[in-house]
Amino acid sequence: MAACTPAGRAVKADGKVLVSSRPCLPRVTSALARAVIFSCAFLVPELEGAQFRVLGPDQPVTAVVGEDVVLPCRLSPRLNAENMDVLWFWSKSRIFVHIYSNGQDDYSSQMPQYRGRTELSKEGLSVGNVSLRILSTRLSDEGQYRCLVQDGDSYEEASVELQVADSIFPKEYPWKVAFFVTLAACFASLVAFPLFISRLRAQSRELGKRDAEIQKHVSELLHVTLDADTAHPELILSDGGKSVRRGNMQQEVPDNPERYDTDRCVLGQEGFTSGTYFWDVDVGKEEGGEWSLGVAKESTERKGEIDRDPRNGIWAIGHWKGEYRALTSPERTVLSLTKRPRRIRVSLDIAARKVAFFNADNQDLLHTFPLDPLSGERIRPWFQVEQKSQLTLK
């Protein structure tokens, strides 16, 4: 079994630092943590070995539009997978098709076009069968899928290619298929068959447009990194730009126009003018820690004391003096929580002009801000860190 190493600039398994070596993986308990694990599997070619293998079919699986299809996948040896995590996703576009975790299906991160159309055989899990059934197959379902199974700190995966064809034959009479294929070949030169093909292509294009429209509204998991050129001199960033804490003294750094010089803030490197994104921030377990996090307009003031609220182009929540608050104006809004958050999800939807904050552990909505019109201006992740705090980007 391969060992884990913590250096580099790809994605570390616990999500804290981008590394280029082999990651160890934590047990996943939330949709976004699973998404990070999936991103690791997608981006990092070598993974920690497991005590089992995940096997898919040697040949592509063929399905007919409108019928159900099973994408075979199993463990070798045939271990009980009921307490393992099973993730099915598209290989290229990194879309979640089905998630099974903590002994149940989790649909919170599932691609909308698969809602109500996927299922795992719960009886099969006990004997290592992690095959996925897709109901009422569509042309847009065609492509390569990956089945990832995680057990403890390691996982394995397999690929399954699905090919989808149209059916012009009633499935009640499968013995007639050969006859109709021959008949269709005889009349291929007639007008009816070319018209059928033309309509089929038009239908396929329409489905493609619809699925493309759906994907425009799907949140993209974002790997945020911190911009060292904007960080206040007292803030200490990790080598990979994935975590930040406050030091005891100012560092010798250039006093450039982009850098915060009074409030202990830092921006993310990424900036957005359109689209929908989300990222998680580990806010730590220190009870007395004080911090704020959210998004800010790129033009927001960085010199001198700033008003950290929407009037100044900052939309954020924070923890101050034992209370969780939304940085509203003119007064702060105290948040009502059912559970103390250890990890907070920031969800940015520029098209809908809103930014929402969630407890990533239980999906509770903490607060939602309406966004002002950006008029083409970029908006960036924003963080403030005071004593006893460390923020880590997941």
Side-chain angles (χ1 to χ4, degrees):
M1 180 179 296
C4 305
T5 56
R9 293 182 62 84
V11 180
K12 188 176 179 181
D14 60 6
K16 293 185 178 180
V17 182
L18 295 178
V19 298
S20 60
S21 53
R22 303 165 66 91
C24 290
L25 300 176
R27 185 71 174 176
V28 295
T29 58
S30 70
L32 189 49
R34 288 189 294 274
V36 171
I37 288 175
F38 150 67
S39 297
C40 293
F42 189 84
L43 297 173
V44 181
E46 288 190 79
L47 306 172
E48 183 182 2
Q51 300 300 323
F52 58 87
R53 297 173 59 202
V54 178
L55 304 179
D58 296 330
Q59 302 295 328
V61 176
T62 302
V64 175
V65 168
E67 296 184 359
D68 300 349
V69 64
V70 174
L71 305 184
C73 194
R74 62 180 177 84
L75 304 185
S76 178
R78 296 182 179 275
L79 304 176
N80 188 335
E82 291 177 329
N83 295 319
M84 300 183 186
D85 295 311
V86 181
L87 288 80
W88 279 89
F89 50 88
W90 270 47
S91 293
K92 294 182 179 179
S93 56
R94 296 180 286 176
I95 296 173
F96 282 105
V97 175
H98 193 95
I99 298 174
Y100 172 86
S101 181
N102 298 324
Q104 62 184 1
D105 298 311
D106 183 348
Y107 301 103
S108 60
S109 300
Q110 187 181 41
M111 177 67 179
Q113 74 183 71
Y114 291 99
R115 296 276 166 81
R117 298 179 51 237
T118 62
E119 58 184 30
L120 292 180
S121 171
K122 301 305 185 295
E123 295 78 11
L125 288 172
S126 62
V127 292
N129 184 357
V130 292
S131 301
L132 178 71
R133 178 183 295 274
I134 300 178
L135 309 179
S136 301
T137 307
R138 305 171 182 173
L139 285 174
S140 57
D141 294 337
E142 185 171 87
Q144 188 177 70
Y145 294 75
R146 291 169 75 175
C147 173
L148 185 151
V149 180
Q150 181 192 0
D151 183 25
D153 295 332
S154 59
Y155 61 93
E156 293 291 337
E157 62 179 284
S159 296
V160 182
E161 182 178 351
L162 174 62
Q163 297 177 350
V164 181
D166 275 274
S167 174
I168 59 174
F169 310 106
K171 58 185 178 182
E172 290 83 358
Y173 303 100
W175 57 270
K176 293 185 178 181
V177 170
F179 170 76
F180 281 110
V181 168
T182 305
L183 186 62
C186 294
F187 289 95
S189 61
L190 299 179
V191 175
F193 193 72
L195 283 177
F196 170 77
I197 295 298
S198 178
R199 290 178 181 176
L200 177 60
R201 289 174 177 171
Q203 180 186 21
S204 179
R205 287 194 297 268
E206 187 63 28
L207 286 172
K209 290 179 181 179
R210 185 195 62 185
D211 290 338
E213 186 65 24
I214 291 174
Q215 290 213 37
K216 287 168 59 178
H217 299 284
V218 177
S219 294
E220 178 181 340
L221 170 64
L222 185 67
H223 293 286
V224 174
T225 52
L226 301 172
D227 186 351
D229 290 337
T230 68
H232 183 279
E234 287 186 17
L235 295 184
I236 301 174
L237 276 61
S238 65
D239 290 340
K242 301 298 289 184
S243 67
V244 55
R245 61 182 178 85
R246 180 182 170 184
N248 296 323
M249 62 182 64
Q250 293 200 1
Q251 304 171 85
E252 294 293 332
V253 293
D255 185 18
N256 54 56
E258 297 83 11
R259 190 179 304 280
Y260 287 93
D261 64 357
T262 302
D263 288 342
R264 296 166 183 87
C265 303
V266 60
L267 293 176
Q269 290 190 4
E270 298 74 13
F272 319 102
T273 58
S274 63
T276 305
Y277 307 88
F278 67 88
W279 58 93
D280 275 13
V281 184
D282 189 329
V283 298
K285 300 180 179 180
E286 182 63 54
E287 294 288 341
E290 296 186 342
W291 47 264
S292 300
L293 60 91
V295 298
K297 288 183 178 180
E298 194 163 47
S299 62
T300 186
E301 291 292 331
R302 305 180 197 178
K303 304 300 183 183
E305 292 187 0
I306 60 176
D307 293 325
R308 301 178 298 279
D309 57 48
R311 295 174 301 178
N312 193 43
I314 296 175
W315 298 268
I317 66 172
H319 180 254
W320 301 89
K321 298 181 180 179
E323 291 185 331
Y324 292 87
R325 310 174 192 172
L327 276 58
T328 52
S329 61
E331 300 294 333
R332 304 308 194 211
T333 300
V334 177
L335 303 180
S336 177
L337 307 179
T338 60
K339 180 181 179 181
R340 174 183 172 87
R342 303 299 185 188
R343 186 167 59 247
I344 291 178
R345 175 172 303 168
V346 184
S347 177
L348 173 63
D349 189 338
I350 296 179
R353 288 171 49 183
K354 67 179 181 179
V355 58
F357 298 85
F358 298 85
N359 183 336
D361 295 325
N362 61 9
Q363 308 303 316
D364 280 354
L365 176 64
L366 304 179
H367 191 78
T368 300
F369 286 96
L371 288 177
D372 295 336
L374 298 178
S375 301
E377 181 178 357
R378 294 206 311 168
I379 192 168
R380 299 171 66 176
W382 176 89
F383 310 89
Q384 180 183 11
V385 182
E386 297 297 340
Q387 296 290 357
K388 298 183 180 181
S389 290
Q390 176 168 313
L391 300 181
T392 302
L393 296 160
K394 308 299 285 187

